[in-house]
Amino acid sequence: FFKNKKLINIYNSKKTIIKDISKEKYVLFCSQMQPEKTTFPEAGDFQDNIELLKIIRDNLPSDIKIFYREHPATFMHFHNCYIYRNSKYYENICSNKNTFLVPYNDDIFNYIDKSIAVITTTGTSGIEAAIRGKTVINFGNAWYSACKSIINIKNKKEIFKLEKIFESKPNLIDIKNFLYYLDDNYLRSELEVRSGDFVYNYKDKKLFSENFKKKNLSIYQSEINKYEKYFIRALNDENFC
């Protein structure tokens, strides 16, 4: 607990408060919690955020700012993220030209909507930003890498793809088709498999299982809420595409 509290204080001491981000010209780097599979091993060549940010900085125009947003779960007391985060880590990030830490607990969608593009290492923020019509560059092998409108950089030989950041916006029809594919072939099955002892009927919004009722409903309900929040609303939104 105390180590995580110290980490929060370190981050807050180095963050930059932006009064009006709508006036800023920036890309948003959404960091992942570490250690976690989203970077080890899914990020592949890009597990080291410090090295990756230097690569990004070297391949973007110098007047484009990089806003680094730490994953909020990094500061939760039941994670051991202090193993990978310390004062030197954040100092190294801020040592890059025009690179700033932004508050981790501010509304991420506000930062996404005002950005030029969103960069992440397989984070859910990638698909969230794409749904909101933002250019997304994903480093590594994300579960949404098959979405055609997301720029995927799988290894260092593909760094040149960073140039696409200014070329075009995502094709929202492509994104919606990808979400339909997930809805039909993956997400509902995952909910059933991961829960193990219950079946969730999305149409009726009911949970069925005597054994499940004896367990902690909130864990599985959070998965269902996440599913609805990110995907079902997009599928049902007539203005989406």
Side-chain angles (χ1 to χ4, degrees), residues 10-27:
I10 290 172
Y11 188 90
N12 287 337
S13 70
K14 300 182 184 303
K15 71 182 180 184
T16 299
I17 304 297
I18 312 296
K19 292 184 178 180
D20 186 359
I21 62 171
S22 64
K23 296 180 180 180
E24 301 290 340
K25 194 175 180 183
Y26 68 93
V27 297

Side-chain angles (χ1 to χ4, degrees), residues 12 38 63 69 95 98 142 160 187 200 209 220 239:
N12 287 337
T38 49
D63 63 322
R69 181 183 184 273
S95 67
N98 258 352
F160 68 91
L187 288 174
Y200 174 67
S209 173
Y220 299 115
N239 298 318

Side-chain angles (χ1 to χ4, degrees), residues 94-110:
C94 295
S95 67
N96 291 305
K97 183 178 180 180
N98 258 352
T99 303
F100 306 91
L101 307 183
V102 295
Y104 68 90
N105 50 358
D106 279 358
D107 181 8
I108 187 173
F109 294 130
N110 189 37

Side-chain angles (χ1 to χ4, degrees), residues 96-159:
N96 291 305
K97 183 178 180 180
N98 258 352
T99 303
F100 306 91
L101 307 183
V102 295
Y104 68 90
N105 50 358
D106 279 358
D107 181 8
I108 187 173
F109 294 130
N110 189 37
Y111 281 97
I112 288 173
D113 292 343
K114 303 294 193 308
S115 69
I116 296 170
V118 171
I119 301 175
T120 185
T121 51
T122 80
T124 306
S125 54
I127 193 68
E128 290 173 343
I131 289 172
R132 300 174 80 86
K134 284 296 173 180
T135 299
V136 175
I137 294 184
N138 169 64
F139 285 87
N141 184 27
W143 57 266
Y144 52 79
S145 291
C147 184
K148 295 179 181 179
S149 285
I150 289 176
I151 302 168
N152 290 290
I153 299 178
K154 295 182 179 180
N155 54 61
K156 292 181 180 179
K157 293 181 180 179
E158 297 181 348
I159 294 298

